[in-house]
Amino acid sequence: MKKTMLLLMMVLMLALQACQPAAPPPPAEPPPPPPPTPEEITAQIRPILEPMRALLRDTGEVGWGTKGKGAAGRLSPEIEKQVLDALTAAKQQHQGTENGKAALNMITHDVEEIASQARDQDRWTLTMGAIKAFELLQPGNTKMNRLKERATLMCKRPIPHLKGFLDDKQTGETYAFIEVELLPDHELKQVKVRKGEEFYNLRFLDIIGNNEAVTLEYTLVPGNIRECKGPKR
C-alpha cells in the first residue's frame, strides 16, 4: 500500500512539472555599436591641431603675421612637441581600420591648410611645425619638400634690430647701427653698415623716411625684403 501511494505521489509530481510552462530563453545580447565613422573620428582628432589653428585666427588685434594677420605669439617647441606627440598617438590608434585611415587623410588635409595659411602669413616656425605634422601622417610623401626647403631657410633668417644712424660728414654717407640676432642660437652681433653692404646674409637696401627705418633683403631668399624700424623717437 505504501509503495502504491509513493508511486502515485511521484506520478502526480511529474505531471505537475510537465504542466508548468517552460522557462523563457535568456534575453538576446544587444548588437555591438557600429564603428565610428570617418567624420566622427576626425572630430575626435581635430582638437589636437587647435594650438596651431589658433595662431592663424584674427583676434581683432594686431597679430604677428604679414600685415598683422593672425594672433600674437609663436609656435613654441613645447607646444609643437605636444601636437606631434598627440598626433602620433592618434595615428597609432586609428590607422588599423579603413574608417580610421580615412579620418587620418582628412586630418592630413587640415594640416596642409595650416601650412599654407602659415606660409601666407609669413610665419615660418608655424609652417615648419605643420610640415612636421604632415610628414608624421604621410611618411615618404614629397608634396611638402619645396615648402620645407623654403621654411628651413626662413627659420634661419637673422632678426635685425635697428639701433640708430650716423651721418659721415666727410663722405656724405649714412651708416646704420644694427643689432643682429642669429638663429637658432639667438647670438647677438653688432654691425655698422651703409647702403649696399651685406652682413650675416642680409643686404642693406635703403633708408625709409627721415631715418625712420631701413629695408633689408635676405640674400639666401632673393627678393625677400623686409622693413626694419628703429626705436620710437
Side-chain angles (χ1 to χ4, degrees), residues 7-128:
L7 286 172
L8 286 172
M9 290 176 64
M10 292 178 66
V11 170
L12 286 171
M13 290 176 63
L14 291 172
L16 287 172
Q17 290 178 358
C19 292
Q20 290 179 354
E29 294 186 3
T37 65
E39 291 74 18
E40 289 171 337
I41 298 172
T42 301
Q44 295 173 15
I45 301 174
R46 274 196 174 125
I48 294 172
L49 303 177
E50 183 57 25
M52 291 183 174
R53 287 188 185 280
L55 291 172
L56 296 168
R57 294 195 188 100
D58 289 329
T59 61
E61 299 178 357
V62 176
W64 287 20
T66 298
K67 297 182 180 179
K69 289 186 174 294
R74 292 187 178 90
L75 181 67
S76 68
E78 294 78 16
I79 296 299
E80 179 187 278
K81 183 177 185 303
Q82 171 189 315
V83 170
L84 296 179
D85 287 349
L87 277 180
T88 299
K91 180 181 178 181
Q92 291 173 346
Q93 179 182 356
H94 296 293
Q95 65 183 348
T97 68
E98 291 304 315
N99 285 357
K101 290 176 182 177
L104 291 171
N105 285 335
M106 294 181 191
I107 295 298
T108 300
H109 180 69
D110 289 354
V111 168
E112 290 182 63
E113 287 185 345
I114 292 172
S116 177
Q117 292 176 31
R119 175 205 62 203
D120 293 344
Q121 290 190 15
D122 206 22
R123 304 179 77 150
W124 294 101
T125 300
L126 179 56
T127 304
M128 184 61 78

Side-chain angles (χ1 to χ4, degrees), residues 52-216:
M52 291 183 174
R53 287 188 185 280
L55 291 172
L56 296 168
R57 294 195 188 100
D58 289 329
T59 61
E61 299 178 357
V62 176
W64 287 20
T66 298
K67 297 182 180 179
K69 289 186 174 294
R74 292 187 178 90
L75 181 67
S76 68
E78 294 78 16
I79 296 299
E80 179 187 278
K81 183 177 185 303
Q82 171 189 315
V83 170
L84 296 179
D85 287 349
L87 277 180
T88 299
K91 180 181 178 181
Q92 291 173 346
Q93 179 182 356
H94 296 293
Q95 65 183 348
T97 68
E98 291 304 315
N99 285 357
K101 290 176 182 177
L104 291 171
N105 285 335
M106 294 181 191
I107 295 298
T108 300
H109 180 69
D110 289 354
V111 168
E112 290 182 63
E113 287 185 345
I114 292 172
S116 177
Q117 292 176 31
R119 175 205 62 203
D120 293 344
Q121 290 190 15
D122 206 22
R123 304 179 77 150
W124 294 101
T125 300
L126 179 56
T127 304
M128 184 61 78
I131 291 171
K132 290 178 183 178
F134 176 86
E135 292 178 339
L136 186 156
L137 294 168
Q138 296 282 331
N141 191 327
T142 62
K143 184 176 182 178
M144 290 281 188
N145 282 5
R146 289 188 63 184
L147 182 57
K148 183 178 181 180
E149 291 174 2
R150 184 177 179 86
T152 299
L153 288 175
M154 295 304 297
C155 284
K156 295 178 181 179
R157 190 187 199 278
I159 302 174
H161 305 277
L162 179 60
K163 297 299 183 180
F165 294 91
L166 172 67
D167 292 322
D168 188 329
K169 294 180 180 180
Q170 292 184 346
T171 63
E173 292 182 308
T174 299
Y175 290 84
F177 291 95
I178 300 176
E179 181 181 78
V180 185
E181 184 178 350
L182 303 180
L183 301 178
D185 298 328
H186 300 281
E187 182 182 2
L188 296 177
K189 299 289 186 180
Q190 310 293 330
V191 297
K192 172 188 168 186
V193 292
R194 56 188 174 179
K195 286 196 290 185
E197 290 185 335
E198 295 184 14
F199 57 100
Y200 301 111
N201 295 320
L202 296 174
R203 181 184 292 114
F204 181 7
L205 296 181
D206 204 356
I207 298 173
I208 299 175
N210 184 22
N211 291 349
E212 297 171 2
V214 297
T215 52
L216 303 172

